[in-house]
């Protein structure tokens, strides 16, 4: 259910990107950085600030920092996918891969949580799995983006 609510995030991202003038690359960068910053401030900043300031060191704060960087890459890929999906000149053979990647990116956290719980993975292994899945998603998005931009 929570992953389905991310559809509203994608709609908001589309509205932000369609209302601003400029090149597509700048729209993607601004939208992704804004989304990642808002997510960082709202969900990770306070625990990181309060917990990491303490005298005792804990690895979970390092994991939170790495997870924030992985999320930034994920948001950049999602912003690029939304930009590509809303283009009027998107070739028909690109429509299906972009839609599939958008669907996977929207339900990525749900799929990751299921995978972690089924295989009983530890926190570092789950973080590595998240990094690998985000990397595959991002590289797929980059391949589509480069072929679309340089193909026109």
């Amino acid at each position: 259910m929570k992953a389905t609510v991310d559809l509203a995030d994608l709609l908001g991202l589309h509205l932000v990107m369609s209302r601003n003038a400029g090149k597509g690359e700048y729209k993607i960068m601004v939208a992704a950085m804004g989304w990642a910053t808002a997510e960082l401030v709202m969900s990770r900043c306070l625990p990181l600030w309060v917990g990491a300031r303490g005298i005792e060191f804990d690895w979970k704060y390092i994991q939170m920092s790495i997870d924030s960087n992985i999320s930034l890459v994920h948001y950049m890929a999602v912003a690029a996918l939304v930009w590509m999906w809303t283009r009027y000149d998107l070739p028909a053979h690109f429509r299906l891969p972009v839609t599939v990647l958008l669907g996977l990116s929207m339900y990525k956290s749900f799929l990751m949580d299921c995978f972690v719980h089924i295989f009983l993975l530890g926190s570092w292994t789950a973080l590595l799995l998240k990094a690998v899945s985000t990397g595959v998603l991002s590289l797929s998005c980059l391949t589509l983006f480069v072929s679309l931009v340089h193909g026109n």
Side-chain angles (χ1 to χ4, degrees), residues 19-71:
R19 300 280 189 250
N20 294 331
K23 292 182 75 172
E25 295 87 2
Y26 300 130
K27 287 181 183 182
I28 292 168
M29 183 64 106
V30 168
M33 291 297 288
W35 191 8
T37 302
E39 194 261 342
L40 173 74
V41 167
M42 296 310 259
S43 66
R44 293 191 177 106
C45 193
L46 187 63
L48 187 62
W49 180 260
V50 171
R53 281 186 39 190
I55 296 172
E56 186 175 320
F57 174 78
D58 196 359
W59 283 100
K60 70 180 177 181
Y61 303 115
I62 301 297
Q63 288 177 342
M64 284 174 63
S65 299
I66 294 170
D67 190 35
S68 293
N69 290 323
I70 294 169
S71 294

Side-chain angles (χ1 to χ4, degrees), residues 75-127:
Y75 294 142
M76 294 278 263
V78 170
L81 286 169
V82 168
W83 179 77
M84 285 189 282
W85 194 75
T86 57
R87 286 180 57 116
Y88 66 90
D89 62 343
L90 184 68
H93 64 279
F94 277 15
R95 182 70 62 181
L96 180 64
V98 169
T99 305
V100 167
L101 286 174
L102 267 173
L104 284 175
S105 68
M106 194 167 64
Y107 289 102
K108 185 183 84 136
S109 62
F110 172 71
L111 295 172
M112 293 292 299
D113 288 342
C114 288
F115 194 80
V116 167
H117 288 297
I118 289 171
F119 293 106
L120 302 172
L121 299 177
S123 60
W124 284 104
T125 310
L127 190 64

